[in-house]
Amino acid sequence: MYKSSSRGWLKHLDFILWDVFVLQLAYFFAFRLRQQGRLGKLFYSDTDYMGLAVMFAAVDILVAAILNSMHNVMKRGYYREFAETLKHAGTVFGVIMLYLFTIKAGSRYSRITLFLTVIFHIALGFMSRILWKKAVSRLKISGQKASMILIADEKHVAGILAEAKPVDGFRYTGLVLFNRDGTGDSVAGLKVVASLDTAADYICREWVDGILIYPDRLWDICEWEESRGSFHTSENLGTAVSGLIQQCRQMFIPVHICLPVSNIDGKTLLEKMGGHSVLTVTTNYVSPLEMAMKRVIDILGGLFGSLIALIVMAVVGPMIKKESPGPIIFKQERVGLNGKKFKMYKIRSMYMDAEERKK
């Protein structure tokens, strides 16, 4: 059974839970500092402040999910981490203020307490993320790692091993070469444990948690070019690799196939299309939740803009009719996203025969 990595905002749930705890701590410190212990009890004993504490936790999780605040958190440096912490804390504070304004409950809470809360949240949140990243890195380095067999051409082995990081959840324990047998040899410090023909037997006997196949190029794995001294010809290499993949599947050994697209700019994701597993390369992508939110904002913005346009038309419409007889609304076909054509409507600001006059 293979456990895949979490995707989306749940991938770093530990960081989100830490942030929720830190926010509650910031709220507590802010309250105690402002009240200076005059109440003699925790703020959770007060109904209003207890409700706001629950709202802080809910909004914190919601903002982390929608903005995906913890995306690439393990790869971020100090400056970017502080910027992301500032953005996250500011958004949480903004939502809370909007909530209090909407329910007209701002007078129930100390403004100094709220402002101190966001300041403490930024400071404690930044420190907790940095410390937790270091702790996670140490755990990954010292923890037990999965055993991985690398299958690649000899010329790629050194580069692949150089890209491996101590925090990776696996370690290479053996090598199988595409271009020759080489059993017993060592390439870049990694021992060749089997050939393509004997790899399945080796995997069956030894401790192997998975295999990583690194092809030369993106195209069909059955189209490997034949080179001098190759262990398999171009005709049967694909068959040998396909057979090994099938045998690993029968042994419930996960097979990872590296797609050599590191030179392609943009974001990549795997998805199903027409019944096929495809790799999609795009400048950016959004989740269904983000797309739904954008659609809601577009509709609300369109309604608000239409209302403003009606007011403007009521004022300038008669002026346009008086100055230049003809329709008030100008309609024209324009080219939009990906070349899709659409009808554009705007308040006419030119004469009806403007094109002829220009000539």
Side-chain angles (χ1 to χ4, degrees), residues 239-259:
T239 303
V241 174
S242 299
L244 176 59
I245 293 174
Q246 183 62 25
Q247 289 172 313
C248 287
R249 182 171 173 268
Q250 293 172 354
M251 292 185 286
F252 297 95
I253 299 294
V255 178
H256 310 275
I257 303 175
C258 181
L259 298 176

Side-chain angles (χ1 to χ4, degrees), residues 179-236:
N179 56 314
R180 64 186 181 91
D181 185 337
T183 303
D185 295 348
S186 180
V187 179
L190 186 62
K191 184 179 179 181
V192 181
V193 296
S195 66
L196 273 178
D197 293 331
T198 61
D201 293 333
Y202 176 85
I203 293 171
C204 185
R205 295 192 314 267
E206 303 294 335
W207 170 31
V208 176
D209 294 313
I211 66 173
L212 174 64
I213 300 177
Y214 190 95
D216 256 343
R217 55 187 184 179
L218 183 61
W219 318 123
D220 190 349
I221 199 168
C222 296
E223 297 179 357
W224 288 79
E225 294 180 355
E226 183 177 7
S227 60
R228 180 179 299 179
S230 62
F231 177 57
H232 282 272
T233 63
S234 57
E235 288 78 14
N236 64 12

Side-chain angles (χ1 to χ4, degrees), residues 90-163:
T91 304
V92 172
F93 181 70
V95 173
I96 289 294
M97 294 302 292
L98 180 62
Y99 164 74
L100 295 179
F101 174 79
T102 302
I103 64 174
K104 299 180 180 180
S107 59
R108 301 178 192 172
Y109 307 96
S110 166
R111 292 181 177 85
I112 296 178
T113 299
L114 295 177
F115 282 112
L116 287 176
T117 298
V118 69
I119 293 174
F120 290 156
H121 185 200
I122 294 171
L124 295 176
F126 175 71
M127 289 188 294
S128 68
R129 294 186 190 188
I130 296 299
L131 294 175
W132 186 240
K133 282 196 286 188
K134 292 182 178 180
V136 170
S137 298
R138 289 195 184 99
L139 288 173
K140 286 185 176 181
I141 292 174
S142 60
Q144 188 177 28
K145 299 184 178 182
S147 172
M148 189 75 65
I149 299 297
L150 174 63
I151 302 179
D153 195 283
E154 187 173 1
K155 63 185 178 181
H156 296 307
V157 175
I160 296 172
L161 297 180
E163 292 176 356

Side-chain angles (χ1 to χ4, degrees), residues 28 30 36 58 72 77 88 116 126 153 167 173 190 216 261 266 272 277 283 290 306 338 344:
F28 171 75
Q36 296 179 350
N72 282 337
H88 178 86
L116 287 176
F126 175 71
D153 195 283
V167 295
T173 56
L190 186 62
D216 256 343
V261 292
K272 285 284 187 179
S277 296
T283 302
E290 292 170 333
S306 298
N338 299 331
M344 181 205 70

